[in-house]
Amino acid sequence: MTPPVRTTGAPPTVVTDPDAARLVLDARVARMLAPFMGAEVSLADAAREAGVPLNTMKYRLQQFERLGLVERAAVQARRGRSAQTYRAAAALFVPFHVTPLEAAASLYDVLFGVMHGALLRSVGAAWQAAAGDDHELGLHVYRTDTGRVTKDIVPLPVGGAGSFFPDLLRDDRPAVWNSGGVIRLTRAEAKAFQRDLVDLLRRHFPPVAPPMEASSEYIYRFVLAPHLPAEES
């Protein structure tokens, strides 16, 4: 099957129906909308791309049509049979005021919540694989030269400050890394850091995807923002 050609760069279609907004905000439902976005695909092809049963996709497609998220495109002949194709806008914009959320900041919870859960599970499994069966993972708490108390997840024995982490860079170890914290930067340094992150992302997202048999999926997340300390109770 030839993959559908997807359009890019089009202005987003504004979602004005609260019921449609609820579907778009639901990550599991949005995954079933994705095959139609910027393309013309049949019900069967969309179900295959989304990895869901045909009946599940049929139910969602009826919802998408009713709410104006998907429309019928054309009837295509395939192997002597005809198949209806459907399409959706290549990009959507959901204004906060049509969502069921109580605060605009909650959009970030909706966007990153599912990804954050998958990230934690994936990092935990990869960290365990890096430690191996002979070492138990634990929390390494120590004071840095600057006086800040920091924590790492490492296997026992620790064997010296940070000795576990250089070993992770060996070719025979899992490709996993997880670090975070608060750093002090000037505005110019923070902007340089921001641009470095964008350049790094671009370098590792080639315009042509590698063959599936030669690649694996990796989960990633880059975060940089001015630090807002937690409110004290």
Side-chain angles (χ1 to χ4, degrees):
M1 180 187 70
T2 303
V5 177
R6 300 192 180 276
T7 57
T8 57
T13 296
V14 178
V15 176
T16 58
D17 188 304
D19 290 333
R22 287 188 182 90
L23 291 184
V24 175
L25 290 178
D26 188 321
R28 294 168 298 180
V29 178
R31 181 165 61 93
M32 287 179 267
L33 177 63
F36 303 102
M37 297 182 68
E40 294 185 7
V41 294
S42 68
L43 172 64
D45 289 344
R48 190 177 302 111
E49 182 178 336
V52 298
L54 190 62
N55 285 341
T56 300
M57 180 58 82
K58 183 178 181 180
Y59 169 74
R60 290 300 180 187
L61 178 57
Q62 290 172 343
Q63 279 188 312
F64 297 153
E65 282 194 280
R66 178 172 54 82
L67 295 172
L69 292 170
V70 171
E71 63 182 11
R72 299 189 178 216
V75 177
Q76 297 179 350
R78 286 189 179 181
R79 304 182 186 88
R81 301 176 60 185
S82 60
Q84 174 71 55
T85 60
Y86 305 84
R87 65 183 170 210
L92 300 171
F93 178 78
V94 183
F96 166 69
H97 75 270
V98 300
T99 74
L101 305 176
E102 296 182 359
S106 300
L107 286 170
Y108 293 93
D109 294 332
V110 172
L111 178 61
F112 295 122
V114 174
M115 178 64 70
H116 186 62
L119 179 68
L120 293 179
R121 291 191 299 272
S122 300
V123 169
W127 225 234
Q128 185 62 61
D133 296 332
D134 298 330
H135 301 280
E136 181 181 8
L137 283 176
L139 188 65
H140 181 207
V141 183
Y142 58 96
R143 187 174 185 268
T144 67
D145 293 338
T146 62
R148 184 168 61 91
V149 175
T150 189
K151 307 177 185 70
D152 294 324
I153 297 176
V154 296
L156 280 177
V158 174
S163 63
F164 170 64
F165 298 103
D167 285 345
L168 279 177
L169 303 182
R170 299 199 325 245
D171 288 343
D172 62 335
R173 307 305 295 275
V176 55
W177 194 263
N178 184 42
S179 61
V182 179
I183 56 176
R184 298 193 67 86
L185 300 171
T186 65
R187 177 169 175 78
E189 290 170 338
K191 292 301 296 184
F193 193 3
Q194 176 195 37
R195 295 182 182 109
D196 286 343
L197 290 176
V198 173
D199 289 341
L200 178 65
L201 189 62
R202 287 172 176 165
R203 286 203 307 272
H204 291 275
F205 270 70
V208 179
M212 292 301 294
E213 62 270 18
S215 64
S216 300
E217 287 190 342
Y218 284 81
I219 189 169
Y220 75 93
R221 185 175 179 187
F222 292 162
V223 179
L224 176 69
H227 181 218
L228 295 179
E231 295 182 1
E232 296 184 2
S233 56

